[in-house]
Amino acid sequence: MLSCVAMRVFALVAAILALLAAACADRSAQPDHQAEWRQVLEHKKAAASPDATSAQKQVYADSVRAFVVKHPNHGRAREVWHRMQIEFAGELSSLGRYQDAIRFYRAVLAHDRTNDAAQRGMELALDRLAVTRDKLLALEKGMSHREVASILGKPVPGWTVENERPGARMEAWYYRMHGGGLAAVYFRNGEVLAAETTAHERLGRLGS
């Protein structure tokens, strides 16, 4: 017969072996993300190359998105995907596609309400959906396209008109106004000439 001490040692060893077996079984039940993530990183290398094509960049973005959809709890992948969404939303805003940008910012904030970059980007995009009279009054004659865009944002695609005249290239940028109505900013040869609202009100320093 086994002594009491031997029996206790045997029981302890058996318990340890059972715990190890359970841990191994749990690990084997978990999906192996590493191989898939390495494939994503290979796409990243190609996309980060100085001579990377737009197709390679798109493949990388698609691979990150697919990985996140398949493994939503992978923290690093989720972080990368959020950063890519924010960068893309910023590009959309720079083109005047504010509604599209807002959708991307909201998608990020739906998963991470504390994401400051997404919150700031969405606030700016919301602000650029329509202009205020005060912002219009900040415009001055002779300002460039870049200077106007820094104050009002770029117009929504399709809200610009260009005309060639003898000795001058005329342009008009149109914006929605807060509270309703439209505003127009007119350029001659790339410099601000005038601005007005739908009430045909000449504005501030542009009215002289």
Side-chain angles (χ1 to χ4, degrees), residues 11 15 31 67 69 83 99 120 152 163 167 180 191:
F67 186 92
V69 170
R83 186 171 67 249
Q99 291 282 15
R120 288 194 303 270
L152 305 182
N163 288 300
E191 295 183 349

Side-chain angles (χ1 to χ4, degrees), residues 145 161-173 186-191 193:
H145 293 122
V161 177
E162 297 184 17
N163 288 300
E164 292 290 340
R165 295 182 181 178
R169 178 169 55 86
M170 309 300 295
E171 297 173 81
W173 287 8
Y186 302 106
F187 297 86
R188 181 170 58 194
N189 295 331
E191 295 183 349
L193 175 66

Side-chain angles (χ1 to χ4, degrees), residues 85-154:
Q85 287 178 295
I86 292 169
E87 290 175 355
F88 186 54
E91 293 177 7
L92 291 172
S93 283
S94 71
L95 298 173
R97 295 175 58 183
Y98 305 114
Q99 291 282 15
D100 293 331
I102 288 168
R103 280 193 283 271
F104 278 92
Y105 289 130
R106 283 177 172 163
V108 173
L109 291 169
H111 293 278
D112 180 8
R113 295 183 179 276
T114 64
N115 193 302
D116 291 336
Q119 187 63 47
R120 288 194 303 270
M122 188 171 74
E123 290 173 358
L124 179 60
L126 286 168
D127 182 63
R128 291 286 171 81
L129 284 175
V131 302
T132 63
R133 192 174 186 280
D134 287 342
K135 287 186 176 181
L136 289 170
L137 290 172
L139 301 180
E140 298 182 20
K141 282 186 177 180
M143 280 186 169
S144 66
H145 293 122
R146 182 187 296 274
E147 289 172 316
V148 172
S150 70
I151 297 172
L152 305 182
K154 290 289 291 294

